[in-house]
Amino acid sequence: MRLKLRIWRQKNAQSEGRFVEYNLDGVSEDSSFLEMLDLLNQQLIDRNEEPVHFDHDCREGICGMCGLMINGIAHGPKAAVTTCQLHMREFKDGDTITIEPWRAKAFPVIKDLVVDRSAFDRIIQAGGYISVSTGQAPDANVIPVPKTQADRAMDAAACIGCGACVAACPNGSAMLFTAAKLAHLNSLPQGQPERYDRAVLMVNQMDAEGFGGCTNIGECEAVCPKEISLDFIAMMNRDLLVANLLGKGKR
Amino acid sequence: MSVTTTQTITETPTFVEAPLDGRVPSGPIETLWERTKFEMKLVNPSNRRKFKIIIVGSGLAGASAAATLGEQGYNIECYCYQDSPRRAHSVAAQGGINAAKNYRNDGDSVYRLFYDTVKGGDFRAREANVYRLAEVSNAIIDQCVAQGVPFAREYGGMLDNRSFGGAQVSRTFYARGQTGQQLLLGAYQALARQIAAGTVKMFTRTEMLDLIVVNGRARGIVVRDMRTGEITPRLADVVVLATGGYSNVFYLSTNAKGCNGTAIWRAYKRGAYFANPCFTQIHPTCIPPVGEHQSKLTLMSESLRNDGRIWVPRQPGDTRPPEQIPENERYYYLEEMYPSYGNLSPRDISSRAAKRMVDSGRGVGPLRNGVYLDFADAIKRLGEKVIRDRYGNLFDMYENITGENAYKTPMRIYPAPHYTMGGLWVDYYLMSNIPGLFVIGEANFSDHGANRLGASALMQGLADGYFILPATLPNYIASTKLEKVTEDADAVKEAVDNVKRITERLMNVKGEKSVDHYHRELGKIMWEYCGMSRTAEGLQKALQLIPELEAEFWENVRVTGSANELNQELEKAGRLVDYFELGKLMCLDALNRNESCGGHFREEYQTPDGEALRNDEEYAYVAAWQYAGDDAMPILHKEPLKFEYVKLTTRSYK
Ligand SMILES: Cc1cc2nc3c(=O)[nH]c(=O)nc-3n(C[C@H](O)[C@H](O)[C@H](O)COP(=O)(O)OP(=O)(O)OC[C@H]3O[C@@H](n4cnc5c(N)ncnc54)[C@H](O)[C@@H]3O)c2cc1C
Ligand code: SF4
Ligand code: FES
């Protein structure tokens, strides 16, 4: 395949970025989107130019490190896949593809297509865990967990922390990410003691990081590679309501 | 760092007569760990804060260790190269984690898990370590459940299990096809809690590039901030490496692109022994490569072998599509060759069998480089929905990558480099031969001998991090007098200069070929001569080819950009430098081990029907290599292995 690529190039956080156009020939349909960029980078290196920087690691759709805006859609045109799992057979010979980094106030650009998502880690640090130190656990089968609850927790826990939901949201909101972690822990019996504190603390941190509010647009769910459901946001809002009534969220 | 690299290794390595001592306490194995825990020294809770521990790595091993030692009150610094600790490659483990819970009541026990692991490792692991691993396995499951790991459940709310290769009991716990992810999130959350509590400081996008050894003790590391390029020393009382495996020496592997051998290799060059480098695991069920653009290989979880049947056309050269090959012309070779384990035969055995099929002209797929993994029978028996529930995400991933629907047509699979049993040598306390340097998880060599059983790496990483290191590391602190070290110590400055020198040298070659070009070439050599099967002749050849390639790399590599910014080419180049050197040691180790065992298959040593032929007389030892200079042969130390509980027998899965 032959492609025209429009790629966001930005030297570092301080400098201004701009689109640069590249023509790329000889792309295999069987290659992944990132392998297509590898090919471009190989050619840039051959021409002694700096390759395009992008984040990636597992290339299996699970680490959450990759993430590109492809023709304006987070992780590209195919539903329910990460950028690394998108393959070139989704494109046609002669296509023009525009590639940008995640754009959100809370995700500053580091270089080219690489952004800083450490705000997500700080949301988890604010309360996205169950406070149980090593050695304190009872036998694993002491507390039965109904299969439906375990499955629901797993559905939410599948979030890979990629940030596509934020990038897709016109408000730059991190609701889907935060709600997924809350639903994971709050669906399980082990998560009940801290349930309402957790909801308040994580949402407060989310606001402090500069993520926008949720206006029920649903772009996040549409691009999420793990198909995290908007229902989890509803669950989060219910938990927040109860938490307010109970005066929770102080540690 | 000197880089005279063109010499070939022809002489036999010198070895040290005195046996290497694994410091295993004496006494009956069943009570050894309990007793050792009691006998080890403790550190008073109010003093713990004063001790700084560096943990490099935030995978299952590193994150669990950092969280647990943080909970105990130590002052922890944790490092990873990704942008978040949650992305360590443990996240990619699909299949599951073993434990001896015997919730199935099918005859499992700590002793059986111990037995299976020693046997599965083809009698090249230390019995006492393996027993302890089996012993703590149950507490891992308890801990993970308490953290909120959403393991698969039955309708009654109890935990579910599945079977994995090399075992006849069902002892594997799993969370859909994302067990590693869920266990890692559990450990990551525990880590996040400690970061919030202030006991752990986390450094992301920070790469360890050297170990600092002061007066014979590990006292810190040199790191490069990957965003700014700044190179700085970080000092501590103890250093723990939890940096994962080195399968990427093959370029194409199931590891993440950033997985590297750099941390352990540079520790080796500071004196830490490297044990059994040639023990690598080639996983039988990966998607076969499709072409030159291939950047990595993708694993299809071994759990698929619970329901999938592996076959090839019986007739070599048969190119008909699978549905046109009638039942009696299909060769279900694992079921025929190993009737009692069948499709669940251990990995080394299944991988080699697949290679024999492809080499004999029975390969399938456009490049004739795979075998079928067929679910048609299981779908007939259980219905598509059950199969979708069990493996849906794997089937989706398969379709994304290959464009084929595995509910309709069999998957194609082929073995790929996956896991490294070798790693830095550690004693019973998980400490290397450098006092104060501990090594945990895949980075050490300890528990899997010459072949790891499925679902045992997650178990080992968490055993090391949650339970073993947090007991043995305090013992070191309590029994050692640690003098103060400052940044102006000569050893610190020398280590920083060393890293700067390597960096500068790489930037200054200004040649014509990319880092990836050289890495691909190295991978081809390693796969051809030090992969699934090896010969003395081939290994000798590799030991010529690698130095030639390495020399060319230092003449002609092109590292674009500058060293003072985010520079992914420079990062890759630094890792490749170490892979060249490590690749040579792997070949040397494989050449030295004149036997076949587990994942190490030397063609000269096989039974008439092509199975591995061990030589217990001469090779029942751990080969621990000591660095002796870039131009010198490394020195071989042997830790003899005694089998007092599991009788040394030929491993049979027939
Ligand atoms: C695809 C796949 C599937 C698997 N499935 C299973 C399974 O089902 N069951 C099972 O038991 N095992 C499985 N394994 C094996 C298992 O996942 C690994 O062996 C295990 O997770 C390794 O954990 P770790 O903590 O030792 O290392 P990792 O998880 O690899 O973590 C390494 C850490 O070290 C850091 N690091 C590395 N180098 C540096 C450096 N130089 N400087 C700073 N930081 C560094 C990384 O950032 C990372 O945080 C699988 C492996 C793969 C590849
Ligand atoms: S909710 Fe979906 S899109 Fe958002 S971080 Fe998680 S996986 Fe990515
Ligand atoms: S690189 Fe890991 S999810 Fe894409």
Side-chain angles (χ1 to χ4, degrees), chain A residues 45 78 111 121 139 181, chain B residues 103 188-189 295 400 558 566:
Chain A
I45 294 166
K78 189 164 186 211
K111 179 173 182 168
D121 285 329
D139 183 87
K181 179 58 26 176
Chain B
Y103 283 159
Y188 160 76
Q189 287 165 199
S295 61
N400 278 330
R558 173 179 288 168
L566 180 63

Side-chain angles (χ1 to χ4, degrees), chain B residues 281-492:
Chain B
Q281 178 164 81
I282 312 295
H283 195 292
T285 53
C286 305
I287 302 177
V290 290
E292 267 295 306
H293 61 263
Q294 192 92 27
S295 61
K296 75 155 289 168
L297 295 171
T298 302
L299 181 85
M300 289 282 107
S301 168
E302 174 167 315
S303 61
L304 292 168
R305 293 202 271 147
N306 274 295
D307 289 306
R309 296 181 68 195
I310 295 176
W311 64 275
V312 289
R314 206 172 271 282
Q315 189 59 40
D318 185 342
T319 54
R320 286 174 292 175
E323 59 283 358
Q324 287 176 21
I325 302 180
E327 196 60 26
N328 63 358
E329 290 177 45
R330 297 177 175 192
Y331 184 14
Y332 294 93
Y333 57 92
L334 285 180
E335 295 173 20
E336 283 186 31
M337 290 194 287
Y338 310 99
S340 49
Y341 284 76
N343 293 302
L344 283 171
S345 295
R347 292 179 175 175
D348 50 342
I349 290 181
S350 310
S351 289
R352 272 198 298 278
K355 178 171 159 48
R356 289 207 294 275
M357 293 306 124
V358 169
D359 289 352
S360 66
R362 295 180 173 88
V364 303
L367 301 179
R368 308 273 133 219
N369 61 350
V371 300
Y372 288 128
L373 176 61
D374 195 339
F375 294 87
D377 284 354
I379 290 175
K380 225 181 281 157
R381 195 175 65 236
L382 304 165
E384 190 172 313
K385 172 157 186 326
V386 174
I387 296 300
R388 195 179 292 278
D389 279 352
R390 284 188 192 160
Y391 313 109
N393 66 323
L394 296 170
F395 279 58
D396 290 349
M397 184 150 90
Y398 185 80
E399 184 163 7
N400 278 330
I401 293 171
T402 62
E404 291 173 13
N405 177 345
Y407 296 104
K408 299 267 160 337
T409 182
M411 282 185 182
R412 288 174 294 110
I413 54 166
Y414 196 63
H418 173 60
Y419 182 87
T420 48
M421 283 76 71
L424 290 186
W425 182 86
V426 289
D427 63 16
Y428 184 69
Y429 302 85
L430 302 181
M431 188 163 83
S432 73
N433 58 302
I434 301 179
L437 177 69
F438 290 78
V439 191
I440 60 176
E442 192 174 338
N444 74 22
F445 87 106
S446 72
D447 297 350
H448 308 292
N451 173 57
R452 175 175 70 76
L453 291 182
S456 286
L458 301 181
M459 170 172 72
Q460 183 224 332
L462 291 180
D464 289 1
Y466 282 133
F467 296 106
I468 301 169
L469 185 80
T472 61
L473 187 148
N475 176 55
Y476 169 78
I477 292 182
S479 42
T480 311
K481 206 178 146 353
L482 291 155
E483 76 254 28
K484 202 170 160 48
V485 175
T486 55
E487 286 188 12
D488 50 17
D490 287 343
V492 179

Side-chain angles (χ1 to χ4, degrees), chain A residues 75 120 158-166 176-178 180 220 223-228, chain B residues 86:
Chain A
H75 290 307
F120 270 9
C159 164
I160 56 173
C162 63
C165 47
V166 176
L176 195 62
F177 166 80
T178 309
C220 51
V223 299
C224 174
K226 299 296 148 181
E227 301 181 289
I228 301 294
Chain B
R86 67 180 289 154

Side-chain angles (χ1 to χ4, degrees), chain B residues 119-150:
Chain B
K119 177 184 170 202
D122 217 355
F123 300 92
R124 291 296 173 263
R126 200 189 276 149
E127 276 190 333
N129 283 53
V130 179
Y131 190 89
R132 176 178 62 187
L133 173 66
E135 189 179 337
V136 303
S137 67
N138 292 339
I140 296 172
I141 304 302
D142 300 341
Q143 186 62 31
C144 294
V145 165
Q147 289 168 342
V149 171

Side-chain angles (χ1 to χ4, degrees), chain A residues 34 56-66 82-84 160:
Chain A
L34 298 185
H56 65 104
D57 203 24
C58 74
R59 296 202 176 190
E60 292 191 5
I62 190 72
C63 74
M65 188 101 177
C66 68
T82 53
T83 303
C84 62
I160 56 173

Side-chain angles (χ1 to χ4, degrees), chain B residues 507-575:
Chain B
M507 294 308 305
N508 287 338
V509 179
K510 297 195 192 309
E512 306 212 314
K513 291 212 170 118
S514 70
V515 179
D516 280 353
H517 163 81
Y518 288 105
H519 198 163
R520 271 207 186 87
E521 292 301 309
L522 173 66
K524 284 182 196 154
I525 298 173
M526 293 303 294
W527 182 238
E528 174 78 22
Y529 301 110
C530 198
M532 253 192 289
S533 80
R534 302 152 178 190
T535 62
E537 201 190 338
L539 291 163
Q540 287 285 5
K541 178 129 191 238
L543 285 167
Q544 258 170 33
L545 294 175
I546 301 169
E548 281 168 22
L549 185 68
E550 189 184 14
E552 194 200 311
F553 166 90
W554 282 109
E555 296 274 300
N556 201 25
V557 72
R558 173 179 288 168
V559 181
T560 49
S562 86
N564 310 320
E565 58 179 337
L566 180 63
N567 187 338
Q568 295 173 333
E569 289 301 305
L570 176 60
E571 292 160 18
K572 288 193 282 190
R575 294 167 190 161

